[in-house]
Amino acid sequence: MNTTTQIATTLNISSLQCVTTSLPGNTSDNMTLVDNTTTSCTDSGTRSTSSLEDFVEYRVALFINRYCLYLIVGLGIPGNFAALLTVSKMKPFTSSSLFMIALATADSINLIIKELYYQLTFFDIQLSDLGCQFFIFLGTFAMHYANWILVAMTIERFIAIKFPMKVQEICTQRKAVIVLLVLGIVLMSLNAHHFVTMHEGYSSLSKYSCEYQKKYSDFMRKVWYWIDGVVYAVVPFCALTILNFLIIVGIRSSVKKQRDLTNLQQKQTKQQMQITVMLVTVSVVFTVLTMPNCIFFIYEGYWNYKKSNYQTALYYLIYQVVFLLSDLNHAINFYFYFLSGKKFRKHFIRLICCCLPKAQRPTATTITRASRYRMSVTSTPSNHTLVDHDSACTRSINNINTS
């Protein structure tokens, strides 16, 4: 499925008449739908009296297109911002932290660009050729970049499971920065053609919209369509599926080996395991949500959905559901960090605690319990780090309580 198309059209389901796409063989890219129409096109070009509005599939697709992006953005932007703040405060700051911050940033850019483009086109605001080129380039790059950051994170987790005692030497912050820069340069170069191939078009049906220039239609239809789909969905999906399988197998074997490790080695392995479980959870969710996109991407070219109005309505419903699931990938990572990552959840709660007014902070009972716990753990020298790394929020609450 063409991710550039997803940005460029956001599937403006507002009308359907006998409109021929400018990209033969990729008709979903430029066909729009018209409300309350009583005519439609068949393969032979004849008119039929039925309307797409007669099919519940079309009405559901219309609802998803009009409203679900608001829900995704409403979940994603606050969640990604919370992930950025939480990870930046977590100690120690590792290569995994860099990847998580980069992923949250790329996801946020993707959602902001989509929502901004949707609003501009909804109100028929002229963007100019350069504006269209910028929106399509940045939006498509952000989608590609986010998925490949997740691949890089999963590779790092595989290394952590395979070589737990050497992970701090192999996976450094410097190497993570290099990986992020290389991925960014490669994917920017891959998407740079949008500054040449895209422009702002105008029609009586869709008004102003970003579209491919006709002279580049062969390249966009026969070359970029496949490159885009493979880079965005197919390769990341295959890579993450294989890596997650290897990681799960590695986790099972590492549990058996832990009994032969020293206390310090067990602690380091346990910390890496917690991070691995959190990031693998996000990775598995990505593969589940991306799989429909991969299937649809391959099958779309063989589906002659224009042969009937029902097939057309069904096509647009599946189109919307597939990209709804793909967009969710850019909005829900924080929530899975919170559910599956004990350390992340702990730091996020402390961050929220510090931001609350004094009257809304934990009660004395909670503080007393926490104090007792700290007193018990300080009785053994091996746990002094728990006191040293106590949060500023907890210390400030204790001061309030004692005063």
Side-chain angles (χ1 to χ4, degrees):
M1 194 64 223
N2 197 318
T3 58
T4 304
T5 302
Q6 184 191 6
I7 293 284
T9 62
T10 321
L11 194 61
N12 292 322
I13 303 186
S14 54
S15 64
L16 176 67
Q17 295 183 6
C18 284
V19 181
T20 304
T21 176
S22 62
L23 299 180
N26 193 13
T27 54
S28 64
D29 295 351
N30 297 300
M31 178 176 286
T32 55
L33 300 176
V34 183
D35 291 339
N36 301 322
T37 182
T38 57
T39 62
S40 61
C41 296
T42 63
D43 288 341
S44 61
T46 59
R47 301 268 181 174
S48 107
T49 56
S50 62
S51 169
L52 285 175
E53 292 284 354
D54 295 335
F55 300 102
V56 65
E57 290 83 359
Y58 172 79
R59 295 195 294 271
V60 173
L62 191 65
F63 177 84
I64 294 174
N65 177 256
R66 286 178 175 173
Y67 302 110
C68 285
L69 182 59
Y70 295 112
L71 175 62
I72 292 174
V73 172
L75 286 173
I77 297 300
N80 289 329
F81 182 69
L84 276 170
L85 288 179
T86 304
V87 174
S88 64
K89 298 292 184 181
M90 291 173 66
K91 304 296 181 185
F93 193 84
T94 64
S95 56
S96 296
S97 304
L98 275 175
F99 284 128
M100 293 171 70
I101 288 176
L103 179 60
T105 303
D107 285 338
S108 298
I109 291 174
N110 175 45
L111 295 177
I112 291 171
I113 288 293
K114 281 190 176 182
E115 181 61 30
L116 186 57
Y117 180 84
Y118 182 84
Q119 294 299 326
L120 290 174
T121 53
F122 181 81
F123 291 102
D124 198 27
I125 297 175
Q126 190 172 359
L127 298 177
S128 78
D129 289 347
L130 183 60
C132 276
Q133 292 162 359
F134 174 78
F135 268 98
I136 303 305
F137 166 78
L138 187 58
T140 309
F141 164 75
M143 286 191 291
H144 289 166
Y145 197 40
N147 291 358
W148 280 94
I149 290 173
L150 190 56
V151 172
M153 288 170 58
T154 310
I155 292 174
E156 185 199 49
R157 288 300 92 202
F158 172 73
I159 294 173
I161 291 298
K162 191 70 175 177
F163 309 103
M165 297 298 103
K166 297 182 179 180
V167 63
Q168 293 181 352
E169 299 176 10
I170 300 174
C171 302
T172 63
Q173 293 184 41
R174 181 175 178 274
K175 292 178 181 178
V177 171
I178 293 174
V179 170
L180 290 172
L181 287 175
V182 170
L183 282 176
I185 292 172
V186 171
L187 293 175
M188 281 185 178
S189 301
L190 187 68
N191 286 281
H193 70 88
H194 291 303
F195 287 102
V196 177
T197 55
M198 299 298 297
H199 74 143
E200 184 174 54
Y202 179 87
S203 71
S204 58
L205 292 176
S206 58
K207 303 299 182 181
Y208 293 107
S209 63
C210 298
E211 60 187 26
Y212 312 133
Q213 296 187 49
K214 291 184 179 180
K215 62 182 178 180
Y216 297 112
S217 62
D218 285 342
F219 167 77
M220 302 303 292
R221 173 172 51 90
K222 298 178 180 179
V223 180
W224 176 247
Y225 175 80
W226 293 99
I227 293 175
D228 188 26
V230 168
V231 171
Y232 173 73
V234 177
V235 174
F237 171 80
C238 294
L240 291 175
T241 301
I242 295 171
L243 288 168
N244 286 332
F245 173 77
L246 295 175
I247 289 172
I248 292 171
V249 172
I251 289 175
R252 294 185 63 181
S253 63
S254 66
V255 171
K256 298 178 182 178
K257 295 178 181 178
Q258 279 190 14
R259 62 190 65 169
D260 300 326
L261 301 176
T262 64
N263 290 337
L264 177 61
Q265 289 173 328
Q266 287 182 357
K267 182 179 179 180
Q268 292 175 345
T269 303
K270 186 177 180 180
Q271 290 175 347
Q272 291 295 332
M273 197 73 70
Q274 290 179 358
I275 298 173
T276 300
V277 170
M278 181 178 69
L279 298 183
V280 167
T281 300
V282 172
S283 183
V284 170
V285 171
F286 172 86
T287 58
V288 171
L289 295 179
T290 305
M291 182 169 58
N293 196 317
C294 297
I295 297 172
F296 186 61
F297 166 75
I298 296 172
Y299 181 70
E300 183 187 18
Y302 302 96
W303 184 7
N304 184 18
Y305 63 87
K306 294 177 65 179
K307 63 184 179 182
S308 69
N309 281 345
Y310 173 74
Q311 290 289 321
T312 302
L314 182 62
Y315 169 85
Y316 283 112
L317 174 60
I318 295 176
Y319 182 102
Q320 288 296 301
V321 171
V322 161
F323 278 112
L324 173 64
L325 295 177
S326 295
D327 286 341
L328 278 174
N329 274 318
H330 305 290
I332 60 176
N333 286 341
F334 162 77
Y335 304 99
F336 282 99
Y337 293 155
F338 185 86
L339 292 174
S340 61
K342 182 179 179 180
K343 184 178 179 181
F344 181 92
R345 182 167 59 249
K346 178 181 176 182
H347 279 78
F348 176 72
I349 292 174
R350 285 182 175 180
L351 183 64
I352 295 299
C353 170
C354 289
C355 295
L356 289 175
K358 294 180 181 180
Q360 299 181 20
R361 289 179 178 176
T363 61
T365 303
T366 304
I367 299 168
T368 303
R369 290 175 181 172
S371 301
R372 289 174 181 173
Y373 173 74
R374 284 195 299 277
M375 290 174 62
S376 65
V377 298
T378 53
S379 61
T380 56
S382 61
N383 291 313
H384 279 307
T385 54
L386 292 176
V387 180
D388 295 337
H389 289 87
D390 194 16
S391 70
C393 174
T394 307
R395 289 196 297 269
S396 64
I397 295 173
N398 287 329
N399 292 334
I400 294 172
N401 184 57
T402 56
S403 61

